[in-house]
Structure formats: C-alpha cells, structure tokens
C-alpha cells in the first residue's frame, strides 16, 4: 500500500430535510478493496455517487489521489462506476460499450482495439463482442459493465451492488473473479453491498453503515470478532445480544448483571453501573446437559425450544430463564441428546463475548 | 370450418368498421383515374388528371410552398420540442408541473383561436404575412406534439445510462449526442413525422397567416373546392396521401430496425 487514494472528510448529504449521509469520514488506501456494507437505504449508493460526482455533498470534502474534487464534474474525475443496474448503452454492442470511454478520450484506434479486446478477454466475453446488451444474460451484462469501467484504467473503481442480480452460484463465482481481478490490476475498489457474507469474503476492509452513519471501519476479522456497536454486532453474521449493567470491573474482566444473572465478560472501557451489551456468536457457545464446574466459563441455563437443520450445522434455539432466546450452533452429526423442552446449559469463554456500549 | 353466429357477427362488425374507415379514400383514389369530369359515374381509366396537375403552375407553386414550410418547421419544431422534452424529463424545479402542462395546452386550444391570435401577433409587430409567418406558425403548433411523443419515449429511459456516459468521460453535450439521442431516436423520428404531416395538411392556421403569395397546398385545394370537387383535386389528394403514407412507412421501418 502506498498512500491514500480516497479521503472523505466529514461528508454530509441532505435531500430536502432528510439527512442521508451524516458526517462520514473515511480514508481509503491505494490498491485497497474497501466495502461499504449496510442495510437498504442507509446511504451507500449516495456515498458512492458523491465520490463519482453525481451528487454534490451538502458539506464536507472529497479528495481523490491527493486532489480536492468538489469542483470537478463526474466526467472530469478519474473514477469509473459499475452501476447497480449496469446501465449498459442499449444501442451499442458489447464491444462499443467497452470502447466508449476510450473513444471519448480520443485514444488512438489501434490502442482502443487492443485494450477493448484485452478487457473482454479479462471478463471472458471475447466471443460476445458483437452482441447488444439485450442479447446477453444478466451475468454477461454485469461482466461487460465491469469491463467497460476497467478498460479506462481508473484510479478508483466504484461498484454498486454489482452482483445483486445474479443467482447464488454465479454470484460466488463472480466474487472470486472480481477479487482476483482487483489483486491483478491493483486498482482501488470501493464496493457497495448489503450482503455481509460477500463483504467478509472479498474485502480488505469493511465500512459498516447504518442510517447514514459510518458505524465501524475495519478488516473483516475485526468487524466480525470485535464489533464496536450493537448494530455492527447484529448486522454482521448472527449474534446473541445480552443487555445488562456493569457491576464490578477489574483489569481483566467485567461482571455484568443481565436479567438477574452475573455474566463475566472481557474488560472494556466502561464505568461501573454503565449499561452495556454483550455479544456472543452462536459458534462460540457450547451446549451441555450438565452444569460445568469450571469457574472460568460463563454459564446460563434455559430450555431447548427449536432446532433448525442447516445442512452440516444445526441452529439450536434455547429460551433462557429470562425469556430471551439464545442461538447456538451444533454440528449436525454431534447433536446433544436433548429434545424440545429439555433443560440445558449454554456455556462460553468470557473473552469470547464482546462488550459494546452503543 | 364453420363459424358460429357470434363469430360471423364480429366478422361483419369488423368489416363494416374497415369499410367505414377506408371507403371514402378508396372512392377518392378511384375517381382520380376516372375519365369523366363528374365524381358520380365511372367512364374509363385515365392518367389525364395527373398530367393536368403537373402543368398547373399554381398547384406546383403551392406544393413547393407546402414542402418548404413543412420541412423547415419540422426540423425546427423537432429540435425545440426534443430539447424541451429532455429538459422536462431531466430537471426538477419549482413550478415544473405548471410549465409542463402549459407545453401541452396548445394541443387542445381550438385551431381557429391559435390562427387568430398568431395573426394578431404578427400584425402587432408588423411582420408581413408570407413564408416567415407560415413557418413560425407551423413551428408553434407542432412543438407540443413533438414534446408529447418524445416524452413518451423518454418515460422508460434509465437516467443512469446518461450517468454512465459521463462517468466514462463524456461531457453533458457529448452524452446527449452519443447516448440520449440515439436511444430516443425512434421517438424523435416519430415526432418529426407527426410534425411534418401536421404541417402538410394544416388548413385553419395557415389560412390566417399565409400571405397572398404563399398559399400552401391544402389552402389551394380549399380554394379549388369552392368550384366543386374535380377529378384534378382527387388526383392531388391521392398524391398527398401517397406521399404521407410513404413517409409513415419509412419512419416505421426505421423504428422497427432500431428496436
Ligand atoms: N435523489 C434523491 N432524492 C431524495 N432522496 C433520496 C435521493 N436519493 C436517495 N435518497 C434517499 O436517501 C436514502 C439513502 O439512499 P441510498 O440510495 O444511498 O441507499 P442505499 O444504501 O444505496 O440502499 P440500497 O441498498 O437499497 O441500494 C434513502 O432513504 C433514499 O430514499
Ligand atoms: Mg443502493
């Protein structure tokens, strides 16, 4: 990584009275694959459109490769976009679609031919050059859209849910191909998705957005293992959230009272009597018929209420005594010999819990 | 295969509709080849009326006027109307709904009112009646139709396609020429055709704004009809019909090819 490519400083975007992006600051490195992840309507597309130049920020600054771009129109920015709807030119062939940007920039003819062919080869659609967009499948259109953007060698490629319209299998395949392309070309990718699995598998870093706020930025592992807000903990993967109040704390652990039960959690920057939430991933917890005598384990008891078969694993839902449900993951071939209604214990290591305050 | 009564009735019904639609035109065409001067009896086939027409300098002059006026007003109205339609599609602003409605309003304003008001306007500014006023008037009444047709074509237009062009480095104008226009071209063409036909057969407005030396073909026919419908007029009308049909077919073929 060699320096900054995109710098967003206190970006705000309002449509009328509605604030869609709120004080968003983010640095993106050269050659990085950064994903903006968040639920529908959280402002991902709007953020991307501000970087591309289709929307003017209400306030805040955007820097591209060390240059402020607020007075550059979209066509003057060295950025290309793969649109959510592909937006291929319906009246042009795949070849002419890909060549569009180069022709606009008056690149010499031979060079255009070579680069377009290379780009089409890159997305494995050389044989489809003469087709119009309506003669291509969804996946092929999507790859033409990528080729059309990539052929210009942009500094930054913005991708707005480019895989949204594809079926599961093609989607997985394209995820691998895209990631591979990005590594191979070394172009900075800003990728938007609302699919957390896609974000986790493809990104160098993920920025999680919620209602216009950038909640957390970090590597997939950081986001998954150490979510910093309740929203991130709940949005990325499945998680159990226990709400409580800090009773005591020492340099290693917190003791949090959740619905009358004392739960040990790793130390965090919180005060006594502060309200906190402990997040525990289903796969970090273990189910047992007998209480454990290991003082170090956190242990809650409840009743088995449901088992949901998910192939190799089974999601087991336990209703705790407080009435809250807790989801645990079991290996399908090693299920605990328990039936619905049976009493059992949920156990985990205290430091597998994550304490969040917001 | 035997038809049921209901089928027979609907067949009859459809036949009557088409008969009703095309019978007058068929008679007109037929009698343009009739030897007799009367539009009542068929006495034999002839091309005489067409030949006579070609020697009638007044008719030829009117034809030329009509074509020139139609051509220029079509080009101007299509350009202005297309830009208006694209602008109305693309931009949001205060009072847009009202302005939008006012674009269409002239379609329902009675032609006679349009004619009189244009005449009043021209005399107010002391513009002599002639080619100029004819062309200006035809542009005026054609624009709303162009806007309607182009707007209809734009309805399904994906704005992000224009954004994609700009994203790839095309200027707004380049985007308009290389992307927007080719995509809505069938609409533009259809609207141009409509404008041309409207101009070619307009009588009422032209009646008010044409000068003594700039009579259009319909006006000429109108004045000829005052002395009765002659086979010459039938021939002239047939020619107009053929030209219009020809244009429609060409435009339709271009439209089909584009799609
Ligand atoms: N041009 C606009 N005018 C008014 N409101 C808008 C405009 N564009 C977006 N919004 C609003 O801004 C909010 C964020 O929209 P945005 O398109 O950025 O969401 P998103 O995160 O991309 O969602 P999705 O995952 O559904 O694509 C939405 O509430 C939307 O209604
Ligand atoms: Mg979006």
């Amino acid at each position: 990584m060699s320096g900054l490519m995109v710098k967003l400083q206190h970006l705000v975007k309002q449509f009328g009275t509605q604030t869609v992006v709120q004080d968003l600051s983010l640095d993106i490195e050269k050659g990085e694959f950064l994903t903006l992840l968040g639920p529908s309507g959280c402002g991902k597309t709007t953020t991307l459109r501000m970087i591309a130049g289709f929307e003017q920020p209400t306030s805040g600054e955007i820097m591209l490769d060390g240059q402020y771009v607020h007075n550059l129109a979209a066509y003057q920015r060295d950025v290309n976009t793969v649109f959510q709807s592909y937006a291929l030119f319906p009246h042009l062939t795949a070849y002419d679609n890909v060549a569009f940007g180069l022709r606009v920039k008056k690149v010499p003819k031979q060079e255009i031919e070579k680069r377009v062919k290379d780009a089409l080869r890159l997305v494995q659609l050389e044989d489809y050059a003469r087709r119009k967009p309506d003669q291509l499948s969804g996946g092929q259109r999507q790859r033409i859209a990528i080729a059309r953007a990539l052929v210009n060698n942009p500094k930054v490629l913005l991708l707005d849910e480019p895989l949204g319209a594809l079926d599961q299998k093609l989607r997985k395949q394209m995820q691998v191909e895209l990631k591979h392309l990005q590594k191979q070309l070394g172009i900075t990718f800003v990728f938007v998705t609302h699919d957390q699995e896609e974000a986790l598998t493809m990104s160098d870093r993920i920025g999680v957005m919620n209602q216009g706020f950038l909640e957390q930025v970090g590597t997939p592992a950081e986001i998954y293992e150490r979510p910093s807000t309740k929203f991130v903990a709940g949005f990325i993967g499945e998680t159990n959230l226990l709400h409580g109040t800090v009773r005591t704390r020492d340099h290693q652990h917190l003791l949090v009272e959740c619905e009358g039960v004392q739960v040990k959690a790793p130390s965090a920057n919180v005060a006594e009597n502060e309200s906190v939430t402990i997040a525990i991933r289903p796969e970090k917890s273990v189910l047992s018929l007998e209480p454990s005598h290991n003082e170090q384990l956190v242990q809650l008891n409840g009743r088995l209420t449901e088992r949901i078969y998910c192939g190799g694993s089974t999601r087991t839902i336990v209703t705790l005594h407080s009435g809250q449900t807790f989801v645990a993951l079991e290996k399908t071939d090693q299920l605990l010999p328990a039936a619905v209604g049976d009493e059992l214990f949920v156990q985990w290591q205290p430091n597998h819990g994550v304490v969040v305050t917001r | 295969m035997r038809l049921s009564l209901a089928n027979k009735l609907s067949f009859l019904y459809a036949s009557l509709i088409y008969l009703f639609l095309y019978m007058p035109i068929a008679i007109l065409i037929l009698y343009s080849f009739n030897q007799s001067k009367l539009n009542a009896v068929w006495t034999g086939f002839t091309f005489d009326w067409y030949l006579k027409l070609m020697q009638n300098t007044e008719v030829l002059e009117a034809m030329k006027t009509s074509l020139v006026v139609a051509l220029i007003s079509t080009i101007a109205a299509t350009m202005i109307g297309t830009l208006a339609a694209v602008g109305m599609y693309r931009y949001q602003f205060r009072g847009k709904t009202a302005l939008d409605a006012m674009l269409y309003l002239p379609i329902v304003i009675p032609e006679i009112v349009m004619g009189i008001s244009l005449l009043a306007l021209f005399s107010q500014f002391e513009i002599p009646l002639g080619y100029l006023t004819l062309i200006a008037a035809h542009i005026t009444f054609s624009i709303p139709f162009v806007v309607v047709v182009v707007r209809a074509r734009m309805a399904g237009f994906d704005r992000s396609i224009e954004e994609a062009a700009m994203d790839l480095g095309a200027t707004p104008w380049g985007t308009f020429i290389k992307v927007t226009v080719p995509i809505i071209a069938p609409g533009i063409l259809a609207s141009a055709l409509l404008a041309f036909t409207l101009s070619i057969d307009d009588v009422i407005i032209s009646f008010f704004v044409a000068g003594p030396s700039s009579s259009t073909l319909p006006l000429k026919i109108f004045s000829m009809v005052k002395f009765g419908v002659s086979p010459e007029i039938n021939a002239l009308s047939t020619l107009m019909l053929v030209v219009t049909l020809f244009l429609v077919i060409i435009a339709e073929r271009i439209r089909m090819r584009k799609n």
Side-chain angles (χ1 to χ4, degrees), chain A residues 49 75 80-81 91 104 152, chain B residues 160 163 166-170 178:
Chain A
R49 289 172 60 82
Y75 65 91
N80 286 118
T81 308
H91 60 299
V104 165
N152 304 290
Chain B
S160 58
E163 287 180 346
M166 290 195 246
D167 187 72
L168 293 167
K178 291 200 196 82

Side-chain angles (χ1 to χ4, degrees), chain A residues 120-336:
Chain A
L120 286 173
R121 189 168 320 125
L122 205 61
V123 296
Q124 295 164 24
L125 283 177
E126 301 149 279
D127 299 338
Y128 295 83
R130 295 279 145 236
R131 299 244 191 134
K132 291 270 183 74
D134 58 4
Q135 298 164 324
L136 296 170
S137 75
Q140 291 166 340
R141 273 181 233 176
Q142 190 263 330
R143 281 184 279 169
I144 293 294
I146 291 173
R148 182 178 71 174
L150 277 178
V151 77
N152 304 290
N153 252 322
K155 286 179 177 160
V156 183
L157 189 66
L158 308 173
L159 303 103
D160 193 356
E161 301 197 29
L163 310 180
L166 306 183
D167 66 55
Q168 186 69 16
K169 187 154 172 261
L170 194 54
R171 201 180 163 116
K172 290 262 190 268
Q173 185 187 333
M174 285 303 304
Q175 287 174 0
V176 176
E177 285 178 24
L178 256 183
K179 178 76 194 166
H180 184 73
L181 264 181
Q182 190 262 342
K183 280 278 159 282
Q184 187 183 339
L185 301 172
I187 295 175
T188 309
F189 271 37
V190 183
F191 186 93
V192 160
T193 181
H194 59 242
D195 180 337
Q196 40 108 359
E197 198 186 320
E198 190 165 286
L200 289 173
T201 53
M202 296 177 79
S203 324
D204 293 326
R205 281 193 308 155
I206 300 173
V208 183
M209 286 184 75
N210 181 32
Q211 296 181 351
F213 286 102
L214 189 61
E215 296 249 343
Q216 185 179 1
V217 184
T219 63
E222 278 167 6
I223 297 275
Y224 189 81
E225 310 275 345
R226 293 195 298 282
S228 65
T229 69
K230 254 184 287 194
F231 175 81
V232 176
F235 190 72
I236 313 290
E238 192 167 27
T239 204
N240 296 292
L241 298 176
L242 300 174
H243 306 289
T245 312
V246 179
R247 286 297 171 229
T248 60
R249 49 173 303 197
D250 58 39
H251 59 283
Q252 263 193 325
H253 288 113
L254 302 177
L255 213 53
V256 181
E257 190 179 320
C258 303
E259 311 264 354
V261 189
Q262 304 278 324
V263 177
K264 217 185 220 182
S267 179
N269 188 17
V270 290
E272 269 172 37
N273 291 325
E274 195 174 330
S275 301
V276 296
T277 300
I278 305 172
I280 308 107
R281 296 284 178 199
E283 70 271 17
K284 300 283 190 194
S285 62
V286 178
L287 294 178
S288 157
L289 288 172
E290 301 295 329
S292 165
H293 299 293
N294 182 350
E295 280 292 304
Q296 290 307 312
L297 281 183
V298 180
Q299 177 158 268
L300 301 174
N301 64 344
R303 281 178 192 285
L304 200 162
T305 28
E306 205 181 344
R307 269 187 169 141
I308 300 165
Y309 175 74
C310 310
S313 59
T314 294
R315 292 173 64 232
T316 304
I317 300 175
V318 177
T319 305
L320 303 177
H321 279 323
S322 61
Q324 193 185 346
T325 54
F326 191 103
V327 181
L329 223 52
E330 289 183 280
K331 285 216 171 102
T332 301
D333 51 6
Q334 295 169 21
L335 288 185
L336 207 64

Side-chain angles (χ1 to χ4, degrees), chain A residues 21-40:
Chain A
V21 174
Q22 321 216 25
D23 194 28
L24 189 152
S25 296
L26 177 62
D27 289 350
I28 304 171
E29 302 280 329
K30 281 187 177 143
E32 187 173 14
F33 193 127
L34 183 121
T35 299
L36 288 176
L37 174 66
S40 187

Side-chain angles (χ1 to χ4, degrees), chain A residues 15 18 20 39-46 84 161 194:
Chain A
F15 289 114
Q18 187 195 5
V20 172
S40 187
C42 70
K44 307 180 296 288
T45 297
T46 307
Q84 202 161 1
E161 301 197 29
H194 59 242

